[in-house]
Amino acid sequence: MIATLDQFNVRGEIRPGRVGVWVERPEKPRQPDGAPAEDKIAAIGIRLRRWVSFHGIALNVEPDLSHFGGITPCGISDPRYGVTSLVDLGLPVTMEDADLALKRAFEGVFGSTHREAPPV
């Protein structure tokens, strides 16, 4: 996810004790301890149940951020931390742009996803 964000010149970072990928928000007021404001932009989730794994990723491209007011994203209820998206950061990114960036980042780590079909 961080490599995907890099393609949009967004610096995503992980934080000890917090789930997800975070971006600093220098345009927002600093935290009471002087630390920069940070918002969550992405997450990777894994769950195991009855020997079955469930997994997924979430990258906020252009959601209605007001919807996050009704949930606690990844269990983070600390009011110091918000949620953001690529579009909220001022980037005119489409889902197609995000899909291509995710594919490039994935292939950069795991190799090409293109496979030739076997002969029939």
Side-chain angles (χ1 to χ4, degrees):
M1 295 303 288
I2 291 172
T4 299
L5 292 170
D6 281 344
Q7 294 177 58
F8 299 108
N9 295 316
V10 173
R11 183 178 175 165
E13 301 175 293
I14 57 172
R15 295 288 183 254
R18 283 191 262 154
V19 176
V21 178
W22 298 82
V23 294
E24 290 187 3
R25 301 298 301 268
E27 74 280 6
K28 290 187 171 184
R30 295 181 79 77
Q31 301 292 342
D33 64 0
E38 296 181 318
D39 288 340
K40 183 176 178 174
I41 193 166
I44 298 173
I46 299 171
R47 179 179 182 200
L48 299 173
R49 188 173 139 223
R50 297 183 185 179
W51 300 101
V52 176
S53 66
F54 302 85
H55 57 278
I57 60 173
L59 172 61
N60 294 336
V61 177
E62 190 179 6
D64 181 342
L65 296 175
S66 68
H67 293 172
F68 287 99
I71 65 170
T72 305
C74 295
I76 300 168
S77 59
D78 190 327
R80 295 178 296 167
Y81 307 117
V83 178
T84 192
S85 69
L86 291 169
V87 169
D88 185 51
L89 294 174
L91 301 167
V93 177
T94 66
M95 287 300 293
E96 292 77 18
D97 298 330
D99 284 344
L100 288 172
L102 280 164
K103 181 179 180 190
R104 282 191 298 265
F106 184 91
E107 289 178 339
V109 173
F110 299 105
S112 176
T113 59
H114 178 74
R115 301 285 185 257
E116 292 293 326
V120 180

